[in-house]
């Protein structure tokens, strides 16, 4: 406790550099996403420093490779906190990485802004130091449930892989559709197996109007092939985690035709999204990049709002920079100018409006519905 | 009742595929008296060899299966020579532990070459045949027939050829076989080649029915080991019986146990086998 308090004081003032950090998946399962997230963070820090920093202080950005691995993540977050003395840790792509590192951040009064979607993170004891730029799994279940209701069917059967997401996903889905009179049945399967005939048989025996795939691409590919072979003729919808390009390549065009996905989307067309398009030079932006943009903007604006680079100050000011009555802001430089001028701001991001519940979840989220046509995801 | 028949059909199909690597595991155990757990990675090696032959070289599935047999067999012999043979003098436990490490090394070599993406073989997707309400997949039938053919070929080799009799002689009594002029080391290499080749065949059969990824072997190895133990370690017919029983048990258990726990059937089978048949159903050691 004493150590935590003293390290908190060491990070307390704006007297030196402002130190922020990120725990990113540069290798492992999240390896395709981490490097672009790190590059964007650095680009924004360079912009801020080139414009004179915050309150005249330079921003120092450090990042560690979490290897999409909890053990490496714990070592990485310890270095960021103990050596780099950061007041906020961003990134945290995987729930497996965020779960063991959140208590370390909270104990050291360091803010965590994570992409990780597992509902259990927000429910952990974190004293308000946790914020999530992504949509939690329960909301994803609700969104899929609302889509199912619009299809007008009478019954849905869900096949959910056994993982930390399955129960909140199931609850979000079932609690959305059952009160409206649609029958919902689900089974949770062990996704590490290679044979899912029994699971598919059980699902199709229920003769559902809609089949819901709630696993990872690896197991869902095998399940989908079985579903096709069995001649299922109803609608099929999967989560964004399941219906990926890898899934589409794995099952092939013939099998994937007509499958839907309802998944969290970025705030496409918003001023922040357009700003990020200019910044990266890309028109089609991955949600991880959009969330990374929001994460670093939120942290830097909260520090400026607090005039203090401590985790507690960031925590206490994270919601103040989303003041509904404030001036709308879509990038950090404009926000810093307005805060310096004593004005109230309302940051609205590239991934979401960036408004948080008391537990750190997003208040509202944006979803998109896509349909597979000729092996590609198209607006559905 | 229809559901029970469906699960029986599914169980026999799945069990026949499981029996193929279980035979591979047992033939190595019979001749070398070691448990070689790198069989999981060699199933993956076979799956990727089949993928390379079928997708990248455009060969038909039967040739892809032959390629997988040869490449997994050769990889098994090479890895045994490099990593396991030097440890044989330290006892079976040391070799078994080393084989677990070898499994990780081989699996990561596969990852390094092919990456983590899930891939599918180039075979047409066909709808199931339906007989009186029972679904039977054409691909599953093809795989079942290949598994039977592979098992018959191996039985024939061991039963009707000089080299097969020599291998069985080494399995029964290596010292006596050596006195009779049979080279135990040569027979050991052949046993590893055949055993791991069978694992390679299983890899392609799984890939044809499902998909290929580096963990394909790890995902079935518990069931394979359970089949080998249940049938009797070192027993070839035992591996077939064990494979079929595990396949059936995994399917039929879904009638009473939630599907999420069906993987536990392998563990339960090992415990039961050790309690009721300490040497396995057809074990002779």
């Amino acid at each position: 406790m004493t150590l935590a308090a003293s390290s908190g004081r060491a990070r307390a003032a704006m007297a030196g550099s402002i130190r922020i950090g990120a725990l990113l998946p540069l290798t492992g399962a999240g390896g395709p996403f981490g490097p672009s997230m790190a590059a964007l963070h650095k680009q924004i820090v360079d912009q801020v420093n080139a414009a004179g920093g915050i309150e005249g202080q330079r921003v120092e950005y450090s990042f560690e490779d979490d290897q999409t691995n909890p053990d490496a993540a714990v070592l990485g977050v310890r270095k960021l906190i103990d050596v780099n003395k950061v007041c906020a840790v961003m990134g945290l792509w995987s729930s497996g990485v965020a779960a063991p590192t959140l208590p370390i951040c909270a104990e050291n009064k360091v803010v965590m802004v994570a992409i990780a979607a597992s509902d259990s993170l927000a429910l952990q004891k974190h004293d308000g130091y946790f914020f999530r730029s992504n949509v939690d799994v329960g909301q994803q279940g609700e969104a899929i449930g609302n889509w199912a209701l619009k299809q007008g069917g009478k019954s849905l059967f869900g096949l959910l892989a056994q993982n930390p997401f399955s129960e909140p996903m199931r609850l979000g889905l079932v609690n959305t559709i059952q009160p409206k009179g649609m029958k919902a049945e689900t089974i949770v399967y062990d996704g590490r197996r290679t044979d899912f005939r029994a699971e598919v048989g059980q699902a199709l025996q229920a003769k559902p109007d809609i089949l819901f795939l709630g696993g990872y691409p690896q197991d869902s590919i095998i399940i989908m092939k079985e579903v096709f072979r069995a001649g299922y003729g109803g609608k099929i919808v999967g989560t964004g985690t399941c219906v990926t390009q890898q899934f589409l390549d794995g099952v092939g065009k013939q099998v994937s035709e007509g499958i839907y996905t309802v998944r969290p989307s970025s705030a496409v067309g918003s001023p922040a999204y357009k700003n990020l398009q200019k910044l990266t030079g890309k028109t089609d932006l991955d949600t991880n990049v959009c969330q990374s943009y929001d994460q670093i903007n939120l942290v830097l604006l909260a520090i400026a709002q607090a005039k203090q680079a401590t985790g507690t100050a960031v925590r206490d000011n994270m919601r103040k920079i989303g003041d509904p009555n404030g001036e709308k802001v879509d990038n950090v430089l404009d926000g810093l100018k307005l805060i310096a001028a004593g004005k109230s701001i309302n940051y609205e991001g590239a991934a979401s409006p960036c408004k948080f519940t008391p537990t750190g979840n997003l208040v509202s989220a944006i979803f998109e519905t896509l349909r597979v046509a000729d092996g590609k995801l198209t607006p559905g | 009742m229809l559901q029970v028949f469906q699960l029986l059909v599914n169980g026999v199909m799945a069990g026949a595929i499981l029996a193929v690597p279980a035979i591979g595991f047992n033939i190595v155990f019979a001749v070398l008296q070691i448990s070689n757990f790198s069989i999981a990675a060699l199933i993956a090696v076979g799956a990727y060899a089949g993928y390379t032959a079928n997708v990248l070289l455009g060969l038909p599935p039967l040739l892809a299966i032959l390629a997988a047999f040869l490449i997994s067999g050769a990889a098994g012999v090479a890895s045994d020579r490099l990593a396991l043979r030097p440890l044989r003098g330290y006892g079976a436990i040391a070799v078994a532990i080393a084989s677990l490490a070898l499994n990780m090394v081989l699996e990561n070599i596969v990852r390094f070459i092919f990456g983590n993406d899930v891939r599918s073989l180039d075979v047409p997707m066909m709808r199931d045949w339906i007989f009186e309400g029972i679904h039977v997949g054409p691909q599953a039938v093809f795989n079942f027939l290949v598994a039977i053919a592979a098992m018959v070929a191996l039985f024939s080799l061991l039963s009707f050829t000089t080299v097969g009799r020599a291998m069985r002689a080494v399995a029964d009594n290596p010292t006596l076989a050596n006195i009779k002029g049979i080279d135990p080391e040569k027979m050991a290499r052949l046993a590893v080649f055949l055993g791991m080749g069978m694992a390679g065949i299983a890899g392609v059969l799984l890939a044809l029915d499902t998909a290929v990824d580096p963990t394909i072997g790890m995902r079935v190895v518990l069931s394979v080991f359970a089949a080998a133990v249940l049938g009797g370690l070192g027993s070839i017919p035992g591996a077939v019986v064990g494979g079929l029983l595990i396949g059936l048990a995994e399917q039929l258990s879904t009638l009473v146990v939630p599907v999420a726990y069906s993987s536990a059937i392998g563990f339960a089978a090992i415990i039961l086998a050790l309690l009721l048949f300490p040497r396995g159903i057809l074990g002779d050691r």
Side-chain angles (χ1 to χ4, degrees):
Chain A
M1 186 57 113
T2 313
L3 273 176
S6 67
S7 63
R9 275 196 298 276
R11 289 187 293 272
M14 294 280 274
S17 295
I18 295 164
R19 292 167 174 177
I20 58 172
L23 205 49
L24 299 166
L26 303 184
T27 53
F33 310 113
S36 56
M37 293 158 72
L40 180 67
H41 282 169
K42 281 192 276 190
Q43 197 178 353
I44 289 177
V45 167
D46 289 345
Q47 271 191 342
V48 170
N49 285 334
I54 300 174
E55 295 279 315
Q57 302 301 328
R58 283 182 62 76
V59 177
E60 276 182 24
Y61 170 74
S62 314
F63 67 95
E64 292 292 320
D65 179 13
D66 65 30
Q67 301 173 26
T68 330
N69 174 321
D71 296 334
V74 168
L75 290 175
V77 84
R78 288 250 62 115
K79 180 173 175 287
L80 288 172
I81 293 173
D82 298 335
V83 178
N84 302 112
K85 310 282 185 199
V86 302
C87 63
V89 180
M90 302 165 292
L92 288 307
W93 180 82
S94 146
S95 294
V97 157
T101 50
L102 178 54
I104 300 171
C105 286
E107 280 166 21
N108 287 277
K109 302 183 190 306
V110 169
V111 160
M112 172 186 281
V113 194
I115 291 178
S118 171
D119 288 36
S120 60
L121 291 166
L123 302 174
Q124 272 181 243
K125 185 181 179 301
H126 54 67
D127 297 330
Y129 286 95
F130 176 73
F131 295 88
R132 191 198 321 261
S133 57
N134 202 357
V135 184
D136 66 274
V137 177
Q139 277 184 293
Q140 294 183 37
E142 283 172 37
I144 290 165
N146 284 324
W147 174 87
L149 289 170
K150 277 187 201 158
Q151 305 310 304
K154 288 179 183 162
S155 62
L156 174 146
F157 198 104
L159 290 149
L160 295 149
Q162 193 174 35
N163 59 37
F165 312 137
S166 57
E167 187 55 14
M169 175 69 79
R170 191 188 71 79
L171 285 174
L173 178 67
V174 170
N175 292 341
T176 304
I177 66 173
Q178 272 190 342
K180 301 275 171 68
M182 184 183 254
K183 189 180 168 194
E185 285 181 81
T186 56
I187 52 170
V188 177
Y189 61 86
D190 180 355
R192 294 167 300 176
R193 299 174 62 223
T194 55
D195 180 359
F196 299 103
R197 284 188 182 90
E199 288 85 340
V200 171
Q202 216 169 313
L204 300 192
Q205 208 178 18
K207 298 192 183 350
D209 297 317
I210 298 169
L211 197 64
F212 166 54
L213 304 177
Y216 292 116
Q218 199 178 47
D219 38 281
S220 300
I221 287 170
I222 303 172
I223 286 174
M224 196 51 225
K225 285 183 178 179
E226 283 299 330
V227 169
F228 177 85
R229 286 174 185 141
Y232 175 70
K235 285 186 176 171
I236 299 169
V237 62
T239 61
T241 311
C242 162
V243 185
T244 59
Q245 196 55 49
Q246 189 184 28
F247 169 86
L248 300 179
D249 294 342
V251 296
K253 288 181 187 177
Q254 186 188 6
V255 177
S256 66
E257 187 68 21
I259 295 177
Y260 289 87
T261 180
V262 179
R263 65 183 194 185
S265 163
S266 300
V268 180
S270 68
Y273 191 90
K274 286 178 185 165
N275 192 43
L276 183 55
Q277 283 176 318
K278 275 187 216 152
L279 203 62
T280 58
K282 292 177 183 169
T283 49
D284 193 16
L285 296 170
D286 168 44
T287 180
N288 297 297
V289 172
C290 293
Q291 289 184 58
S292 298
Y293 177 78
D294 291 343
Q295 289 183 348
I296 195 157
N297 287 348
L298 287 165
V299 167
L300 292 174
L301 291 171
I303 289 170
Q305 178 78 31
K307 301 191 182 350
Q308 256 195 355
T310 67
T312 306
V314 174
R315 177 194 70 177
D316 295 344
N317 285 274
M318 196 68 117
R319 290 174 183 84
K320 290 181 186 168
I321 55 171
D323 178 3
N325 300 317
E327 200 161 324
K328 280 193 181 175
V329 164
D330 58 61
N331 68 83
V332 69
L333 295 181
D334 289 350
L336 291 175
K337 278 182 206 157
L338 289 168
I339 290 171
K343 292 191 176 160
S344 180
I345 65 163
N346 179 13
Y347 177 77
E348 293 198 337
S352 74
C354 293
K355 304 295 178 282
F356 299 99
T357 66
T359 55
N361 280 328
L362 288 174
V363 170
S364 62
I366 301 159
F367 287 91
E368 62 183 352
T369 302
L370 301 171
R371 185 176 181 275
V372 182
D374 199 27
K376 301 269 177 231
L377 286 167
T378 57
Chain B
M1 188 48 87
L2 194 66
Q3 192 189 358
V4 175
F5 279 121
Q6 181 68 65
L7 292 173
L8 282 171
V9 169
N10 293 351
V12 169
M13 299 281 187
I17 311 295
L18 277 183
V20 175
I23 288 172
F25 190 88
N26 272 1
I27 197 170
V28 173
F29 189 90
V31 175
L32 281 87
Q33 281 139 54
I34 58 161
S35 298
N36 187 342
F37 293 107
S38 69
I39 196 165
L42 288 156
I43 290 172
V45 168
Y48 278 99
Y51 170 82
T52 305
N54 175 245
V55 177
L56 304 182
L57 302 177
L59 299 175
L62 280 174
L63 286 179
I65 290 165
L66 180 64
F69 173 74
L70 296 173
I71 288 170
S72 281
V77 171
S79 57
D80 178 73
R81 176 72 186 83
L82 286 171
L84 304 183
R85 201 177 87 167
L87 296 172
R88 276 185 210 153
Y90 296 95
I93 301 287
V95 177
I97 292 169
S99 74
L100 287 169
L102 174 62
N103 186 65
M104 281 190 263
V105 171
L106 289 173
E107 190 182 303
N108 280 295
I109 290 173
V110 168
R111 282 181 203 279
F112 182 74
I113 298 171
F114 292 96
N116 286 320
D117 284 354
V118 185
R119 298 151 192 263
S120 288
L121 268 65
D122 186 15
V123 286
M125 285 295 296
M126 288 177 283
R127 303 277 189 186
D128 289 348
W129 294 316
I130 303 171
F131 304 104
E132 302 291 332
I134 305 285
H135 285 247
V136 184
Q139 188 64 57
V141 171
F142 172 84
N143 290 359
F144 177 76
L145 293 174
V146 170
I148 299 294
M151 288 188 262
V152 168
L154 188 72
F155 282 132
S156 304
L157 177 81
L158 293 175
S159 304
F160 307 122
T161 66
T162 309
V163 74
R165 281 193 283 269
M167 199 183 298
R168 282 161 51 212
V170 172
D172 284 341
N173 190 329
T175 313
L176 193 58
N178 201 11
I179 292 168
K180 296 289 276 179
I182 300 168
D183 180 0
E185 195 48 49
K186 201 171 155 186
M187 288 302 114
R189 273 199 300 276
L190 184 59
V192 172
F193 180 79
L194 291 173
M196 297 309 162
M198 292 296 271
I201 291 176
V204 189
L205 296 182
L206 287 168
L208 282 165
D209 202 25
T210 61
V212 190
D213 76 277
T215 64
I216 189 169
M218 278 308 285
R219 291 195 275 144
V220 292
V221 75
L222 174 66
S223 301
V224 170
F225 184 59
V229 172
L230 186 62
L233 278 173
S235 165
I236 308 299
V240 178
V241 172
L244 288 172
L245 286 176
I246 293 290
L248 285 167
E250 284 184 348
Q251 292 292 323
L252 291 170
S253 67
T254 59
L255 290 170
V256 286
V257 179
V259 286
Y261 304 113
S262 59
S263 298
I265 297 303
F267 283 111
I270 292 171
I271 293 166
L272 269 180
L274 293 175
L275 283 173
L276 301 176
F277 315 99
R279 295 180 179 192
I281 293 170
L282 298 179
D284 54 5
R285 283 175 187 279

